[in-house]
Amino acid sequence: MKNASLAALGIALALGLIGCSEPPVENNVSKTAVEQPQPTLNSGIELANMDKSVRAQDDFYYHVNGNWLKTTEIPADKSNYGSFTALYDDSQKALRTVLENAVQNASMEQSDDERKLAGFYSSYLDETAREELALAPLKPYLEPVKTLTDKAQLPNVMAKLLLQGGTNPFAWYVNNDAKNSSENALYLYQSGLGLPDRDYYLKDSDKFTNIRAQYAQYIEQVLLRTGEQKPKAAAARILKLETAIATAQWSRVASRDATKSYNKLSLNDANALIPAFDLQAYLSTAGLKVNELVVNQPSYIAQLSQVVDDYSLTTWQQYLTFHFVNNHAALLNKEMVDLKFDFFGKTLRGVQAQAPTWKKAVDASNEVLGELLGKIYVETYFPPEAKARMTELVDNVIQGFDYAIDDLEWMSAETKVAAKEKLSKFTPKIGYPDKWRDYSQLNIDADDLLGNYVRYTQWAYADMAAKIGKPVDRSEWFMTPQTVNAYYNPVNNEIVFPAAILQPPFFNLEADDAVNYGAIGAVIGHELGHGFDDQGAKYDGEGNLRNWWSESDLTQFEKRGNKLVAQYAQFKPFEDAHVNGELTLGENIGDLGGLTVSYKAYQLALAGKVSPVIDGYTGEQRFFMGWAQIWRRQYREEELRSRLMTDSHSPSHYRVIGVLPNMPEFYKAFDVKAGDQMYIAPEERVKIW
């Protein structure tokens, strides 16, 4: 799971499928007093996936998932494969049916929404047109870059390019003002790199040196196709420019600090940070009329001024040209599609083969028209009983969190009151939005794939810009219903569970409560836990960035968090790479707190009864097995190494064996003793929530 990333425009991912059942029909026939037999619930545990040669007490992840890990190969078109991706694959097939029906049913009676879906999908699938056009569709967008004569023109050209899907050394988004969460504010943040992280430019090992060399070759090949006369020399200059940008940037650990990254400045003061670049002109061209804005990384913006000075106008032109072509290469002819895949797919992520065009077309349609697809998706695949049972689970886990706060021996009574006040103000969102996004102003043309993307980007940015200074619409969603994921949004203090995650192995309507509390219940708890992780705990119940902790409690909280950092830093998937305990701290707190409070909720649901034994396992055992089986995942080495540097989540293996040894309930359920590999001495265990 992850926190909502509100800076991204195309946040939607096409994921998820759930079997559809018709809602019950109410009639006027009176109900009889005879009790109907209740269906027998199954364990929800996929027994065939287990490897009982690995003791539960030594590695619970492999005990529950070992046979699956031995027998499952990563598909050639993927960098990793697990529970999420299996549901994603099913989702693509379902969404393909929706889109193809829209194409086949073209008629005068077709709605505007259906025409948009059919038009966009058709434009992506038209590979003949893409071959004929090659790079020609890019020319109108690149011409202003080509004709630049002075660096003073850079702000206007960069702003226009960003609105058309280009890359700048910084970008912007609109979201709740973190210190006035009922009103929207403009945020400016660092950007501008082609490689996944600043460390790819700054580390000196052979691995990163080789990646940079291959990146330079890729840049050269792209520029060669744009008509650049000396593409190799241009590529070297671009790499040097991006290295300077990377050197100035904040690390991911520093950037996730909610306090340090909130810097509200007047427009004049922000402009003064970067004298070599007219920020005011840049924002004006982008249609942003503001007197103040929040700068996430002010020292980066200040250092960027020197970078602008140090590099020639020609280098900046080449940089902007390369990134615009690169950003849109997947929409062009086969030569460009293959070129981009060879570097970003094979080299960086280890993917062996491209996905078929129809899958790419589904993903692209979902990115651009996500809520149009989502509206049809929930009508077809999301049963009402799933939302009802999920609502009950959410209520129970919130109650479990409330009890968990009472049990905290390290927290003062004063801070407990504040924590409970925040908990009481959480807003759960389940399944799908009450109000769908309006796409009526977005023009989609079945004969213009690149234009569709550009118009979508312009439309999305304009939609954001119109919100500046306006009251926040708290009904808005930042994931589509067909996304297999969930998120916590700190400035709205909301937890959001799209429809697509509410299916096995995460949520099983036919399974006993234990596995559901261990799976989706823990996911609910995880998202609640983000409201109380090392960054979420800096926001109050209204979503405002405000300290509600006593000094002694905050010290205790940070001390326990540091112990968790140290625990996870010991996990080494490779001899030369370990989990970044600081980068993953928020997610690890979410996992530990989420599983802890969901266990309490499960015990509350039992209402004092002994849990049933199903398939030879008690409810308490199946609870932990439910958690382990949702994280089964295979990674290609390149993908896992990249995630260790860039992902705020720990790899799946450690999301299981990192959490469970800190929970006394796990020791009791599986009789874990000193000497077992999953054992941690009581004084070394971490309890935060």
Side-chain angles (χ1 to χ4, degrees):
M1 306 302 103
K2 66 177 185 177
N3 288 332
S5 175
L6 306 180
L9 279 175
I11 196 170
L13 299 174
L15 306 170
L17 169 68
I18 191 166
C20 177
S21 62
E22 293 296 323
V25 178
E26 294 293 334
N27 55 43
N28 294 323
V29 179
S30 61
K31 295 179 174 63
T32 69
V34 178
E35 289 191 11
Q36 298 298 316
Q38 296 299 310
T40 301
L41 297 175
N42 62 50
S43 72
I45 304 301
E46 299 179 54
L47 300 172
N49 290 340
M50 297 179 66
D51 182 357
K52 294 185 180 180
S53 70
V54 180
R55 298 173 68 241
Q57 299 87 345
D58 289 334
D59 192 315
F60 197 69
Y61 177 77
Y62 277 92
H63 176 73
V64 174
N65 300 309
N67 194 50
W68 183 91
L69 293 165
K70 288 177 184 176
T71 58
T72 301
E73 292 186 7
I74 302 173
D77 64 343
K78 299 189 189 308
S79 64
N80 67 97
Y81 188 77
S83 298
F84 290 86
T85 34
L87 295 179
Y88 166 83
D89 286 345
D90 289 339
S91 167
Q92 281 189 313
K93 295 171 187 174
L95 296 178
R96 181 188 191 183
T97 299
V98 171
L99 289 162
E100 290 185 347
N101 285 343
V103 172
Q104 292 167 7
N105 296 336
S107 67
M108 294 300 294
E109 290 75 31
Q110 195 177 37
S111 70
D112 184 56
D113 287 353
E114 290 173 314
R115 277 193 292 273
K116 283 183 169 64
L117 290 172
F120 185 87
Y121 188 64
S122 297
S123 73
Y124 200 102
L125 290 176
D126 190 352
E127 293 178 296
T128 300
R130 290 162 68 171
E131 288 302 314
E132 291 174 354
L133 292 168
L135 273 66
L138 299 175
K139 188 175 180 181
Y141 306 106
L142 294 177
E143 192 64 27
V145 179
K146 185 178 179 181
T147 56
L148 275 169
T149 57
D150 193 295
K151 276 191 189 178
Q153 299 168 325
L154 276 175
N156 291 327
V157 170
M158 281 188 177
K160 289 176 182 176
L161 272 185
L162 184 68
L163 298 185
Q164 294 164 344
T167 291
N168 290 182
F170 43 71
W172 58 269
Y173 66 98
V174 176
N175 194 29
N176 312 52
D177 186 328
K179 291 194 174 180
N180 179 20
S181 65
S182 62
E183 184 176 294
N184 284 304
L186 176 68
Y187 289 76
L188 193 73
Y189 67 101
Q190 66 187 25
S191 184
L193 302 180
L195 293 174
D197 185 77
R198 66 193 291 270
D199 284 354
Y200 278 75
Y201 298 86
L202 307 179
K203 292 198 173 212
D204 291 329
S205 69
D206 289 344
K207 175 182 181 301
F208 291 102
T209 300
N210 290 335
I211 286 176
R212 289 193 291 272
Q214 290 177 78
Y215 181 47
Q217 290 172 7
Y218 170 67
I219 297 172
E220 177 186 351
Q221 291 303 310
V222 169
L223 291 180
L224 177 66
R225 286 155 179 80
T226 67
E228 174 64 42
Q229 295 301 304
K230 297 180 179 179
K232 187 171 184 177
R237 287 193 293 269
I238 291 171
L239 181 57
K240 189 176 179 181
L241 170 57
E242 289 190 27
T243 302
I245 292 171
T247 303
Q249 287 191 349
W250 289 20
S251 71
R252 287 178 185 264
V253 171
S255 292
R256 67 180 293 270
D257 188 314
T259 305
K260 291 179 181 177
S261 61
Y262 182 91
N263 304 279
K264 197 167 193 178
L265 303 175
S266 70
L267 180 55
N268 287 337
D269 287 344
N271 209 37
L273 283 175
I274 183 167
F277 185 93
D278 191 341
L279 184 62
Q280 193 162 354
Y282 172 86
L283 297 176
S284 178
T285 301
L288 304 170
K289 299 178 181 179
V290 293
N291 295 317
E292 57 185 8
L293 65 158
V294 179
V295 179
N296 285 147
Q297 299 97 358
S299 65
Y300 165 75
I301 302 298
Q303 291 179 58
L304 189 61
S305 187
Q306 188 63 51
V307 177
V308 173
D309 267 340
D310 287 346
Y311 289 84
S312 68
L313 177 62
T314 299
T315 300
W316 282 107
Q317 287 173 294
Q318 292 163 340
Y319 165 88
L320 293 171
T321 297
F322 160 70
H323 278 288
F324 193 85
V325 178
N326 175 57
N327 290 356
H328 297 92
L331 311 177
L332 303 174
N333 57 336
K334 185 177 184 299
E335 182 183 39
M336 293 303 297
V337 170
D338 291 348
L339 190 63
K340 181 165 186 175
F341 172 76
D342 284 345
F343 180 71
F344 286 97
K346 286 184 178 179
T347 300
L348 288 186
R349 301 175 63 217
V351 181
Q352 301 302 303
Q354 295 188 54
T357 303
W358 74 260
K359 286 187 177 183
K360 297 178 187 178
V362 169
D363 288 351
S365 301
N366 205 26
E367 178 186 352
V368 171
L369 300 168
E371 286 200 17
L372 292 188
L373 277 171
K375 195 186 304 185
I376 300 171
Y377 176 87
V378 295
E379 289 174 357
T380 311
Y381 299 110
F382 188 53
E385 57 267 33
K387 185 165 185 173
R389 190 163 173 193
M390 183 67 178
T391 300
E392 180 183 352
L393 275 167
V394 170
D395 291 343
N396 288 348
V397 175
I398 289 175
Q399 187 178 5
F401 210 117
D402 188 85
Y403 287 150
I405 293 171
D406 286 333
D407 291 342
L408 295 177
E409 74 283 355
W410 60 270
M411 182 177 281
S412 68
E414 175 190 3
T415 304
K416 284 182 180 180
V417 170
K420 286 194 169 197
E421 180 184 4
K422 177 170 184 175
L423 183 65
S424 71
K425 293 181 177 180
F426 270 80
T427 300
K429 294 179 177 178
I430 299 169
Y432 52 89
D434 295 327
K435 181 173 66 177
W436 296 99
R437 198 170 189 184
D438 179 8
Y439 290 83
S440 60
Q441 299 304 307
L442 174 60
N443 180 37
I444 297 295
D445 184 341
D447 298 319
D448 186 13
L449 176 58
L450 181 71
N452 287 336
Y453 258 95
V454 170
R455 287 186 292 275
Y456 161 70
T457 305
Q458 292 171 323
W459 170 80
Y461 269 115
D463 183 60
M464 279 203 298
K467 297 174 183 176
I468 297 173
K470 303 284 180 60
V472 170
D473 178 2
R474 293 184 183 256
S475 71
E476 189 174 6
W477 281 50
F478 298 98
M479 282 181 181
T480 61
Q482 59 272 29
T483 303
V484 184
N485 214 324
Y487 69 87
Y488 169 68
N489 181 359
V491 286
N492 278 352
N493 197 32
E494 63 185 5
I495 49 175
V496 185
F497 306 97
I501 200 172
L502 305 180
Q503 55 185 313
F506 299 93
F507 179 57
N508 190 340
L509 278 170
E510 298 178 358
D512 176 68
D513 273 349
V515 72
N516 282 323
Y517 276 97
I520 196 66
V523 170
I524 297 165
H526 172 101
E527 300 307 335
L528 287 169
H530 273 313
F532 300 94
D533 69 20
D534 65 312
Q535 299 305 315
K538 295 178 178 181
Y539 296 83
D540 64 19
E542 302 298 332
N544 290 308
L545 191 58
R546 178 181 69 82
N547 181 29
W548 47 268
W549 294 75
S550 72
E551 188 173 340
S552 61
D553 288 330
L554 188 57
T555 299
Q556 276 286 335
F557 178 73
E558 291 173 347
K559 180 180 177 182
R560 289 162 187 262
N562 289 336
K563 284 185 70 174
L564 207 59
V565 168
Q567 282 186 8
Y568 278 80
Q570 295 178 45
F571 295 133
K572 295 181 66 175
F574 308 104
E575 283 299 317
D576 60 343
H578 62 82
V579 174
N580 185 334
E582 291 179 295
L583 178 61
T584 60
L585 178 59
E587 299 297 335
N588 297 335
I589 291 175
D591 284 347
L592 177 56
L595 202 60
T596 299
V597 301
S598 188
Y599 186 90
K600 289 182 181 294
Y602 174 56
Q603 294 301 311
L604 290 171
L606 288 173
K609 297 177 183 177
V610 177
S611 67
V613 175
I614 307 178
D615 288 339
Y617 295 98
T618 67
E620 287 73 17
Q621 291 173 325
R622 286 181 284 109
F623 171 88
F624 290 109
M625 295 169 81
W627 173 253
Q629 68 182 13
I630 68 173
W631 297 116
R632 59 178 181 257
R633 184 184 295 270
Q634 297 272 39
Y635 300 93
R636 298 194 190 279
E637 180 178 337
E638 297 88 344
E639 173 73 4
L640 183 51
R641 285 184 177 275
S642 177
R643 288 190 182 215
L644 289 172
M645 296 175 61
T646 63
D647 195 350
S648 60
H649 304 79
S650 297
S652 292
H653 184 191
Y654 309 119
R655 297 190 76 162
V656 177
I657 68 169
V659 171
L660 301 188
N662 287 301
M663 294 183 63
E665 300 87 349
F666 174 70
Y667 289 75
K668 183 178 179 181
F670 287 94
D671 194 27
V672 181
K673 294 183 172 64
D676 294 334
Q677 292 179 34
M678 294 281 291
Y679 180 87
I680 295 178
E683 65 273 14
E684 296 301 322
R685 296 173 197 166
V686 178
K687 179 179 180 181
I688 299 180
W689 296 104

